[in-house]
Every structure is written in C-alpha cells, then in structure tokens.
Amino acid sequence: MNLKDLAASLGLSQTTVSRALNGYPEVSEATRKRVREAARVHGYRPDSRARSLATGKAMCIGLVLPISAKQEIVNPVFADFVAGAGETLSARGYDIMLSLVNEEDQSSVYRSMLKKGRVDGLIMQAPLTGDERIALLQDVGLPFVVHGRVSDHDDTYSWMDIDNRHAFHRATDHLLDLGHRRIALLNGIEAMDFAHRRRDGFLDAIASRGFRADENLMASAAMTEIYGYEAAGRMLDLPEPPTAFLASSLLVGMGAHRAIEARGQRMGHDISVVIHDDGLSYLPNGSDNVPIFTATHSPVRDAGHICADMLLRLIQNPKIGPIQTKLEASLRLGPSSGPAPNQ
Amino acid sequence: MNLKDLAASLGLSQTTVSRALNGYPEVSEATRKRVREAARVHGYRPDSRARSLATGKAMCIGLVLPISAKQEIVNPVFADFVAGAGETLSARGYDIMLSLVNEEDQSSVYRSMLKKGRVDGLIMQAPLTGDERIALLQDVGLPFVVHGRVSDHDDTYSWMDIDNRHAFHRATDHLLDLGHRRIALLNGIEAMDFAHRRRDGFLDAIASRGFRADENLMASAAMTEIYGYEAAGRMLDLPEPPTAFLASSLLVGMGAHRAIEARGQRMGHDISVVIHDDGLSYLPNGSDNVPIFTATHSPVRDAGHICADMLLRLIQNPKIGPIQTKLEASLRLGPSSGPAPNQ
DNA sequence: ACTCTCACCCAAAGCGCTTTGGACACGACT
DNA sequence: AGTCGTGTCCAAAGCGCTTTGGGTGAGAGT
C-alpha cells in the first residue's frame, strides 16, 4: 500500500493525504481523521527512501566501528556507547547506520556514506593521535561529532571527550597522597588519543611532585584482562616492584588484581589499584555503594547521549559551527586503594 | 554531482552512463573507460536512496539491539557479533541499520523497518523463551535470521544457534567425570532461550547419572562479574558448598574465581570452574594455548559471519525457505577444572 | 543493392514521496 | 455587486536513479 493507492481508496489526492499525515494545517480536521484511520487500517508506512529523496533528509546518522585487522579487538565500549546514542536518536526519529571500517579503506567509507545520501551526519569513534580522518570528514562536508579528540589538531571540529588528562592526574595524585612512590601505569594502546592523554596526566602528576617516572612501570596494550594480569605480574616480579597500579580500564584492573592475589598479596593493603571505569552496563564496578575499585568514573553511555544530541543540533543548524563538550570524570573511592605499605 | 550532470559533462545520456558504471555489456569498453574516469575525477557516487528506489533493493540489513529498560544491561556479546556480521555484509556491499528496541514498541520497530523499505532483511538477537517476535517477523514477510532459537516454536523460521544444551551437558559430564557431585550452575537470565537450554543440559547430565540437582546450587541473573562473585560466594558459604561451578560466561567465571580466592581456596584444586566462552575479542580466555578456564567455546564473531551469510542467501532467494545452522561448541580444557577433592 | 545483424546509444517512464503553485467555493467586508 | 480573504483540496513537477523499448549507422551476408 503506497501513498497513491491510499489516496485513491480515499478519493483524495496524494497531496492531501500526505499533508494530512504530516500534520500540515491546510487540511480539515475531519479529513485528517479519516486519512489517519485509513492509514492505520491499511498499515500504511511511507517509504523512507522516497521520502528521503524528496525531502533531502535521511533521518539517519552514521556510526563507524573501527575494526583494525581481522583478529583485532572490538572496542568493548562500543555497545554501551551505541545504546546511549541510540536512545537519544531513536527518540528523535533517527536511525543508525553502522559501518565497519578497516584501516585501509577508511577514506572511501566516509566518502560514500555521505555521498550516497544515506546519512545526515556521523559520529566518529576512537580517534588516534594525529588522526587524518578529521580532515577527511571536513572535506566531505557532512556534520560530524568526534567521540574523543585528536591532539595534533586545532579545534575546528566538534568533539565530546572526557578530560582524560585531568582524570589520570587526579588518580595519580590520589595515590601519591597515600604515600605511593612507585606507581605503575597499565595504559591502553597509546596510539589512541585518550591513552596518550592519560599518560600525559600520569606523568605530569608525578613530575609536579618532583619525582621521576620509571619506564619499567609503564605498559601499553589493548585493554584486556590478560594484559592486566601479565603486565602487572611482570612488574610485581621486578627487584623494585610498584606499590600501586593505575589501570586504564576495569578489565585491566581485574587482571592486575588477579596477578596481585596470585602472589599472595592483597589489593588495597599491600598493593593499591586505581582504574578508569567506563560504566559499562555489563561490567559494573561492584555496585554504586560498594565499588570494587577506586576509579575515575565516566559512563560511556552518557557520552553516547551527548554525542548524539550534539550531532542532532549540528544537523538542525550547521551554522552553529564546531561545538565541544568536555566532561570531568569523578573520582570514586573504593577499597582497592590504601596507604603505601611502610618499606 | 549527480548522474544527470555527469552525463551532460560527458555528452552522453544518463542511460549510457548508468550502464557503463554498472557494468552492462551494451556499452563499448572505450566509453566505459571514459565514463569511469570522469566519475572518479568528479567524485561521483550514486545516491543510494534513488538507486534503492529504482531497484527495489535497499542493500542494507537491519539489526535490532534489544535494550530492556533504561538501566538494563547491554548485551556484551553484541559488539563482536556485529563485527562478524559486518565483515561478511560489507564484503558483499551491504550496510547495517541498527535499531534500538525497548520491549514496549518492538512490534512497531520491526514493522516500520521493512515497510519503510530501509532494509532487505534482518537479524534478530537474543530470543526469549516463547518469543512472540518470530510471529511478528513472519507476518511482516521480510527475510530474517534469528541468532538463537525459540524453544516453544516450530522450526518454520531460519535460525543459527550453538547447541547450548549439549555444550552444558558435556561440561557437566566433564565435572562429573572428575568426581564432582555438588556442582553449581551460575546461569544467565533463564527467560533467555539459550540460558533455558543450558539449564536443561545441566540438569539432564546430572539426572542421567542418577544424581539430583540441588536448587540451592542454581542461580540465574544477568551475566556480570559481580553476579558471579556474589552468587558463588553465597554458595561457598553454604553448609554443604559446591566443589565445582559451571558458569554461563567468562565474566561470571571471573566473579566466581574472585569469590573462591577470597575464601582462601584455589581454583582448579579446591574448587573447579567451567565456563562458556563466547570468544569475545576484548575478553579472551587467556591465550589459545594457555587458557584460564576450562570452557565450552564458540566464538560469537563466527556466529555473526554465519548469520549474515544465511540472511544474504535468504535475500537472494527467499524460496530456499527456512534454513537452520546448529554449531557445536568445543570443550577446551584449562587449569580451572580438576579432580574433586576427597571429602 | 538490399536486408539483417550487431554494437552502441538514447528518450522517457517509472520508483514513492514532498512541495510548489494554483483552483474552487464560500462567507465577510466595503 | 464586487473584492478579498480563507479554508480546502488538487495537478504536476521534482528528488536521482534504473530499465524498458526503441533508434541509428556500420559492416556482413545474399
């Protein structure tokens, strides 16, 4: 059942039916009611392609999920982020188009996304340091929002990010305040911009107290539990082991915890651990009241909401220009951090 | 730059340009080359909406991500599943349209997806026992594949699933063979069909040796680490604690592990743990050679590939009728399971 | 010399919607 | 009586593509 048929069955023109359905004032309430009822009965839904072609709006935004190589890691944060963004978008009638991108053909994916008229704008995830995708997207001319930032780039694009540098600075300060001097950083892949910033915050905090960071106490890899376990284990076996760990994710923290326990030590007493908590729904840091880890906390689902909201504003009025949102992560104390043991 | 302009700039008709670009034989190789080059230079991309409208094919499939209530859990399996499906789909030129569904308006979402012509078919996730969405989708008439199965339904729809029942039967057998008699089940939410089947397999295995399952050793909840920790802890504190756990996911297993260690016992010696491993890329069960847990193993990314492939076959030729794929999970031995301790 | 193939190309009709630019009737205002 | 809204509806022109159903000219076959 298309518009033409529906109009015919009602003895009306397509124009009138279309207007009745879309709430235009040029049609009497009586007719509108009649049209709505007929549409309901026949189960009529406008074809979104035709409508999109006619209006120029796709009512759809693009989301790119970067997949490096075949076997590489899918961003665990993705599901919650998309859930957040999706809630906001679907409430406003927008759909989400997903594109998997492997490094090689990034350019073509972004280009085709817009050119093909499928989406009105897009959200870019997981920017790398000096990511050239920003330029690509600007060239393309479609509204976009970056979840994260790119360090080596001026601020002429829209982004939303948490203050990773500050968050890790504070977390490091917290450990320093507790008397820890040998603090280890279990970071994510430092090509990722957020990891880069976290490292900076960590180093700053240490340097600003006049200490020096130990290269042996800094690791960087994809944020899995096993990485946390192995990296922490290796460091604990050093002649001068760390007394505290700063881990880039809950999973990494869990790995560190396992390494600590495996050596007969207790987290929060012998060795402290502070993590960053993305607030993933399927990976809660204990309960709200009883956390497992002391953590810098910023739910990625909220980030999804915010990114989507920003993008919609940008689509509605592109002239408002680049907009930025910086979120502060809260520092939540848990039982995993305590005073440094006396030497 | 649209087709019309491109044709004009070449002094050709739209027909010829369209055919040249789409590889039809009615155009000379010389012209085709000329057209391709011009298209490249001008950065021409056909508008997918217009093309879709003309061809009747959306070149897009729908994926629904169920989001129960506001605060509920996002399926952690989703990211890897979509990565797998996406790889297959994008290789074949298909895009993915994501829809977030909260229980209430499921019907309308599925209905609108197809009616609006946005997708050529869809993949349904996380079916519940007696899920009424199947009937909905059948009514809608669009090709679809269910990732999982619905127990109380005949097999007149296409699905792909792992043999959850058999997998958990085997895992339970493994523990029984090791001499365990008090085996606890840390299951997912049993409204989910897969969890239901796993429970059945578990109970079958116990019953077929003439033992009786203990209700106190069976838990069911959303599969988080904290749930594993708390449920396992509760059971370990019983007057007659279990000697082994069968956990429905790696995270639950990790929680159980933590509970075991917290009580000064050792996993694999005092208490055995067997898990189901979805092979999530960001949650590896140790490394391939050195796993952490004994596990029934079936990568969900593979499931994504298979579902996508099935759906494409169904779209290409709907007459092939309902197709089904059942995968067997492998049982991989790890250090987390060992002989039952002597009482 | 005439027809018949091909090889190559084109005009125009959709696909299903929105939207522009009226048309028509009816009551109100001057 | 004439004009001017005003409320209600419509015909038709797009949106940008594919595809049907020819058209045209060159070379081959007789």
Side-chain angles (χ1 to χ4, degrees):
Chain A
M1 174 64 78
N2 57 18
L3 185 62
K4 195 169 158 186
D5 298 342
L6 183 62
S9 85
L10 280 162
L12 288 171
S13 75
Q14 294 189 42
T15 311
T16 306
V17 175
S18 169
R19 286 189 159 149
L21 257 23
N22 291 327
Y24 282 71
E26 297 94 329
V27 48
S28 70
E29 270 316 310
T31 317
R32 191 189 305 282
K33 208 165 210 166
R34 201 160 66 89
V35 171
R36 282 220 181 107
E37 179 59 16
R40 202 188 56 73
V41 168
H42 291 98
Y44 168 77
R45 310 253 175 184
D47 185 301
S48 69
R49 299 163 297 184
R51 162 178 274 178
S52 171
L53 200 54
T55 59
K57 298 173 185 314
M59 292 307 282
C60 184
I61 73 104
L63 209 63
V64 283
L65 176 54
I67 302 255
S68 324
K70 274 277 180 228
Q71 300 303 348
E72 285 249 8
I73 273 182
V74 180
N75 193 344
V77 146
F78 174 73
D80 268 79
F81 179 84
V82 73
E87 278 160 7
T88 297
L89 290 170
S90 66
R92 300 273 297 270
Y94 278 78
D95 288 322
I96 301 174
M97 175 135 289
L98 215 57
S99 276
L100 296 236
V101 179
N102 41 354
E103 246 87 89
E104 315 108 61
D105 44 44
Q106 290 213 80
S107 143
S108 83
V109 169
Y110 286 105
R111 280 223 151 63
S112 67
M113 264 238 172
L114 88 134
K115 273 299 196 170
K116 297 205 290 183
R118 285 221 142 150
V119 301
D120 297 319
L122 34 88
I123 297 178
M124 183 183 125
Q125 297 235 81
L128 310 176
T129 330
D131 205 310
E132 80 292 357
R133 284 178 293 174
I134 308 264
L136 208 68
L137 285 172
Q138 284 176 322
D139 183 42
V140 137
L142 213 62
F144 70 98
V145 169
V146 180
H147 178 211
R149 272 176 291 176
V150 174
S151 292
D152 301 344
H153 203 283
D154 54 353
D155 270 3
T156 57
Y157 61 96
S158 298
W159 51 258
M160 96 118 265
D161 199 6
I162 58 174
D163 195 338
N164 279 296
R165 183 184 186 117
H166 188 212
F168 269 51
H169 195 123
R170 283 177 68 199
T172 310
D173 273 344
H174 167 66
L175 289 168
L176 289 166
D177 289 344
L178 289 169
H180 294 277
R181 291 299 172 262
R182 292 190 58 74
I183 303 172
L185 177 67
L186 303 174
N187 207 358
I189 295 172
E190 287 172 355
M192 306 285 281
D193 208 83
F194 72 88
H196 194 82
R197 288 174 189 276
R198 287 176 180 179
R199 178 195 165 105
D200 285 351
F202 168 76
L203 292 176
D204 269 13
I206 290 178
S208 65
R209 303 238 182 157
F211 302 125
R212 273 191 43 225
D214 183 346
E215 276 296 332
N216 294 318
L217 299 186
M218 293 171 64
S220 161
M223 305 184 287
T224 62
E225 198 268 352
I226 200 82
Y227 153 61
Y229 175 72
E230 289 175 352
R234 214 179 311 119
M235 292 174 183
L236 288 171
D237 293 340
L238 287 173
E240 283 189 285
T243 62
F245 287 98
L246 189 47
S248 215
S249 84
L250 180 60
L251 282 174
V252 175
M254 286 169 69
H257 178 206
R258 192 157 61 92
I260 292 165
E261 301 259 317
R263 279 158 186 77
Q265 302 191 281
R266 279 182 64 203
M267 179 171 79
H269 286 82
D270 309 310
I271 310 274
S272 288
V273 176
V274 175
I275 65 157
H276 178 75
D277 176 16
D278 290 303
L280 304 186
S281 60
Y282 58 91
L283 260 183
N285 177 22
S287 64
D288 272 350
N289 307 325
V290 191
I292 300 171
F293 292 101
T294 295
T296 56
H297 179 257
S298 178
V300 78
R301 194 161 181 165
D302 294 352
H305 282 123
I306 294 170
C307 280
D309 197 64
M310 287 171 66
L311 184 56
L312 290 180
R313 266 158 51 213
L314 234 36
I315 287 170
Q316 201 184 357
N317 181 10
K319 281 175 294 188
I320 60 174
I323 46 183
Q324 283 105 23
T325 310
K326 189 159 75 177
L327 252 47
E328 213 59 61
S330 62
L331 184 58
R332 297 190 171 180
L333 293 183
S336 71
S337 63
N342 301 327
Q343 304 290 8
Chain B
M1 174 64 78
N2 58 20
L3 186 62
K4 195 170 159 187
D5 299 342
L6 183 63
S9 85
L10 279 162
L12 288 172
S13 75
Q14 294 189 40
T15 311
T16 305
V17 175
S18 169
R19 285 188 161 150
L21 257 22
N22 292 326
Y24 282 71
E26 297 95 329
V27 50
S28 71
E29 269 316 309
T31 316
R32 192 190 304 283
K33 208 165 211 166
R34 202 160 64 90
V35 171
R36 282 219 180 107
E37 179 58 16
R40 203 187 55 73
V41 168
H42 292 99
Y44 167 77
R45 310 254 174 183
D47 185 302
S48 69
R49 298 164 298 184
R51 163 179 271 177
S52 170
L53 200 53
T55 59
K57 297 172 185 317
M59 293 307 282
C60 184
I61 74 103
L63 209 64
V64 282
L65 176 53
I67 302 255
S68 324
K70 274 275 179 235
Q71 299 304 347
E72 284 245 13
I73 274 182
V74 181
N75 194 342
V77 146
F78 174 73
D80 268 79
F81 180 84
V82 74
E87 278 159 7
T88 297
L89 291 169
S90 65
R92 301 272 297 270
Y94 279 78
D95 289 322
I96 301 174
M97 174 134 292
L98 216 57
S99 276
L100 296 236
V101 179
N102 41 355
E103 247 87 88
E104 313 109 61
D105 43 45
Q106 290 212 80
S107 143
S108 82
V109 168
Y110 286 104
R111 280 223 152 62
S112 66
M113 263 237 170
L114 87 135
K115 274 299 196 173
K116 297 204 291 184
R118 285 220 142 150
V119 301
D120 297 319
L122 34 88
I123 296 178
M124 182 184 126
Q125 296 236 80
L128 310 175
T129 329
D131 205 311
E132 79 293 358
R133 286 178 293 173
I134 308 265
L136 208 67
L137 284 172
Q138 284 177 323
D139 183 42
V140 138
L142 213 62
F144 70 98
V145 169
V146 180
H147 177 210
R149 272 176 290 175
V150 173
S151 292
D152 301 345
H153 203 284
D154 53 354
D155 270 2
T156 56
Y157 62 95
S158 298
W159 52 259
M160 96 116 266
D161 199 6
I162 59 174
D163 195 337
N164 278 297
R165 183 183 186 119
H166 188 211
F168 269 53
H169 196 123
R170 282 178 68 200
T172 311
D173 274 344
H174 166 67
L175 289 168
L176 289 165
D177 289 345
L178 288 169
H180 294 278
R181 292 299 172 264
R182 291 190 59 74
I183 303 172
L185 176 67
L186 304 174
N187 206 359
I189 294 172
E190 287 172 355
M192 305 286 280
D193 208 83
F194 73 89
H196 194 82
R197 287 172 191 276
R198 289 175 180 180
R199 178 194 166 105
D200 284 350
F202 168 77
L203 291 176
D204 268 12
I206 290 179
S208 65
R209 303 241 182 155
F211 302 124
R212 274 191 42 225
D214 182 346
E215 275 297 332
N216 294 319
L217 299 185
M218 294 171 65
S220 162
M223 304 184 286
T224 62
E225 197 267 356
I226 200 82
Y227 153 61
Y229 175 73
E230 289 175 352
R234 216 178 310 121
M235 292 174 184
L236 287 171
D237 293 339
L238 289 172
E240 283 189 283
T243 61
F245 288 98
L246 188 47
S248 213
S249 85
L250 180 60
L251 281 173
V252 176
M254 286 168 67
H257 179 206
R258 192 156 62 93
I260 292 166
E261 300 261 315
R263 279 158 186 78
Q265 302 193 281
R266 280 184 63 202
M267 179 170 80
H269 287 81
D270 309 311
I271 311 275
S272 287
V273 176
V274 175
I275 65 157
H276 178 76
D277 176 16
D278 290 302
L280 304 186
S281 61
Y282 57 92
L283 260 182
N285 178 22
S287 64
D288 272 351
N289 308 323
V290 190
I292 300 171
F293 293 101
T294 296
T296 57
H297 179 257
S298 178
V300 78
R301 195 160 180 165
D302 294 352
H305 282 123
I306 294 170
C307 281
D309 196 65
M310 287 171 66
L311 183 56
L312 290 180
R313 267 158 49 212
L314 233 37
I315 287 170
Q316 200 183 358
N317 181 11
K319 280 175 295 186
I320 59 174
I323 47 182
Q324 283 105 22
T325 310
K326 189 158 75 177
L327 252 46
E328 213 59 61
S330 61
L331 184 58
R332 297 189 172 182
L333 294 184
S336 70
S337 62
N342 301 329
Q343 304 290 6

